[in-house]
Every structure is written in structure tokens, then in C-alpha cells.
Amino acid sequence: MRPESFEFLRNYLNNPSPTGFEKEGQKLWLEYIKPYIDEYFVDTYGTVVGVINPEAKYKVVIEAHADEISYFVNYITKEGYLYLRRNGGSDPLVAPSKRVNIFGEKGIVKGIFGWPAIHVRKVEQDKAPTIETVFLDCGASSADEVAEMGIHVGSVVTFEDEFTVLNEKFYVGRALDNRVGGFMIAEVARMLKENDKKLPFGLYIVNAVQEEIGLRGAEMVAHRINPDVAIITDVTHDSQSPMYEKKTAGDISCGKGPVITYGPAVQNNLRDLIIDTAKQAEIPFQRAAATRATGTDTDAFAYSGSGVASALISLPLKYMHTTVETVHRDDVDGVTRLIYETLLRIEDGHDFRYFN
């Protein structure tokens, strides 16, 4: 990875972008892709779309989502402790002893997830932390002091863990799900520009908001763009680490390439084009099967309007929805290259229908 790309990836991952509050991360992303696009727009809720060939009638989307799981302050005790509600699929089990950023009216306030010491607990009666039992300590001793710090009910909370590299080949941090996707589609835009590739269609590079609470950003922007084709990238579970059951999770491994999904929302001809592209470009890939839905923005695009030919290219990831989400650098490169090479094989007016 070139140094400039790595620096953007690090800064972009470290910048908090909780669901519903993605603005600052979206600004970073937009500034990075501006040299590689013809124009852009930002919708009402913060989804950002960079456009190449905006006058073209045939429209192709490449998409990722920008938001990360987080918490809301829900209740402040008279002693100054904070109880929370989830904003997305946050896991209270990983919360105790973690450091956080609390976004208050006066700026970011540091806090911690406190937890009683092992000395004072009846360990044999321990239960897993839940949203009802985890709490934040921001160093205040009263509700009034909390208020003076600018914290109120509705203040959003994110973990402060930052990006690291493990064994020179794994990228580790919070919010790789799915800002690493935003990084990859931005790199596709850069590669098209720097390699002077002229596409015969309009390309819409979409960094959508609010995926973590129901694919909402993709749902909104799909109706606005009304594309003909959508290639979505998100993360999927590496199933090699302990406690995964491959009979249900599948056999997916970090380091073995992008994951191409089969499922009702995935348009078969588009998926087959992606597979053929991977084979011709000698990009290793893996396969996965979805159930009724992929659980990604693919579903929102596929079923929008009169139906959009949609496919999902996933990045294998360990430890989803923790502060140590982990991906292999070769897979990041593989997904980026696969999207890039696939775009070069889509024709103007490409008809993906099964028959006519």
C-alpha cells in the first residue's frame, strides 16, 4: 500500500463516525476522493456520493457504509454515573474496562466503562455484562457535574481504541466494519483516475450512513440515484478463530481473498461476471451463502425501485463489533482490485437480465 493511502486509512479509521453522526468522517472521505471524481453530492442524512461521468444514462454504484456502532447516554445517576442504550449492534460484553469518547455539548469528554474488582464480586455468580449493568464513569461525582461537562441524555459514546498493525500483515481497530470498505472504494476511484481509465457509464462511489441500524442510508440514496448496477462491499466473519461453528458460519479465512456471496438478493449474472473477473485477474476468492437476506446494503439496493442488479464482495474480518476488528492487508488489496477489474468489464447498457 502506498504511504498516502495508508495514512488516509489510519486517519479515517481513527476518526469516530457513530451511526447518525457520521459527518466528520464523511468530510475526511470526501476530501480524499475529490481529486478522482467529477462531482459529488451529500444527501440530507449525510451519505456522500462521488460521481464520475455524471451525464451518463447508465449508472453503476460501488458502495460501502461509513457508520460505526456506538452508544447513547440514556440515564445519569445522582452520583454521576452514566447508563446507556445501544446505537447499532454494540456488545456490552466487551465494554468493561474500555476507554471511551463522550460527545457532549462542549466537545469530547473522556470516560471509562467501570466494573467492580474481582475482589468484591462473587465470581461463581458472575453473569455476562449487559446493557443494563454496564456503566460509564467520566470522573464526575454528581449529575450536576456531568451536566457542567456538557454531557446529557442523548450524548453519543464511542470507544477510543485506535488503528494498529499486527504482525505486519493484519490491520486492527474499531470500525473496520465498514470504514475499511469506504477506503477500498475510494482507492478504486483513485486507481481509475491514475490509470486513466475511461468508463462508458456513470460511476457513483457511495459512502452510505446508518447501515448499522437497518441499511437506512443505502435505502435513501438508492432511490435518489436509481442505478442499473450496484456492487456492495462490506465485511464478513472469518470463521477460523475459536468458538466459530463452520457448519453454520461457513469456512471463511482472512488472507485467502475476497468473499463472493450467493443469495436471493445477489443478481446471478453480475455475480458470475465478478467470479470470471477474479479468475482472469488471478485474484484468489472465497464463496459464501446468504439466507433470505445478506444483512448488508446489498439488500437495500437490490430491492429498490424496479430492482437493481446487485452483488456483494465481502472482506473477511475477525472479531466483528469489538474494538479489535481485524482484516488481512492482502484481502484489502484483493477486494479493491476485484471491484476495479469488474468495473472495467461492465459495458454501457449492460443487460444483466436472465432472459428477454
Side-chain angles (χ1 to χ4, degrees), residues 132-153:
E132 290 82 15
T133 59
V134 294
F135 60 90
L136 288 182
D137 186 337
C138 60
S141 56
S142 69
D144 288 342
E145 190 174 357
V146 171
E148 289 171 6
M149 299 168 80
I151 300 168
H152 52 77
V153 169

Side-chain angles (χ1 to χ4, degrees), residues 144-352:
D144 288 342
E145 190 174 357
V146 171
E148 289 171 6
M149 299 168 80
I151 300 168
H152 52 77
V153 169
S155 291
V156 70
V157 178
T158 62
F159 294 112
E160 74 167 19
D161 297 65
E162 294 193 342
F163 174 77
T164 58
V165 179
L166 189 65
N167 195 23
E168 299 183 348
K169 58 184 177 180
F170 285 98
Y171 301 143
V172 179
R174 38 160 270 284
L176 286 162
D177 175 12
N178 182 37
R179 284 207 291 283
V180 70
F183 167 78
M184 292 187 295
I185 60 173
E187 287 294 277
V188 171
R190 177 185 64 81
M191 292 163 62
L192 290 168
K193 182 73 170 183
E194 293 183 351
N195 293 331
D196 197 28
K197 298 296 184 181
K198 306 298 184 184
L199 299 174
F201 48 77
L203 180 64
Y204 292 71
I205 304 110
V206 178
N207 208 17
V209 299
Q210 298 195 26
E211 187 271 352
E212 295 289 358
I213 49 90
L215 322 182
R216 298 307 186 191
E219 181 181 352
M220 290 182 277
V221 81
H223 289 287
R224 177 166 178 173
I225 298 172
N226 192 25
D228 299 282
V229 180
I231 299 173
I232 312 304
T233 186
D234 206 329
V235 296
T236 192
H237 300 283
D238 169 286
S239 60
Q240 307 306 310
S241 56
M243 301 176 69
Y244 282 89
E245 175 53 69
K246 292 180 183 178
K247 292 177 182 178
T248 54
D251 191 6
I252 303 298
S253 178
C254 285
K256 291 188 177 180
V259 180
I260 299 173
T261 297
Y262 289 71
V266 174
Q267 213 280 341
N268 297 335
N269 290 335
L270 176 58
R271 183 205 59 231
D272 289 345
L273 175 66
I274 293 169
I275 290 173
D276 290 342
T277 300
K279 291 177 178 178
Q280 290 192 16
E282 298 183 342
I283 301 170
F285 69 93
Q286 305 172 80
R287 303 177 200 251
T291 54
R292 295 181 62 183
T294 68
T296 72
D297 284 339
T298 310
D299 305 326
F301 275 94
Y303 302 128
S304 67
S306 57
V308 176
S310 301
L312 173 62
I313 303 175
S314 298
L315 178 71
L317 175 141
K318 296 181 179 183
Y319 321 126
M320 192 181 296
H321 286 201
T322 73
T323 60
V324 290
E325 294 180 335
T326 301
V327 299
H328 198 291
R329 66 180 186 185
D330 291 349
D331 294 335
V332 174
D333 179 64
V335 171
T336 305
R337 287 178 53 222
L338 184 52
I339 296 173
Y340 172 82
E341 295 291 346
T342 299
L343 291 176
L344 299 181
R345 300 187 65 201
I346 296 176
E347 302 170 351
D348 184 20
H350 203 128
D351 187 353
F352 284 99

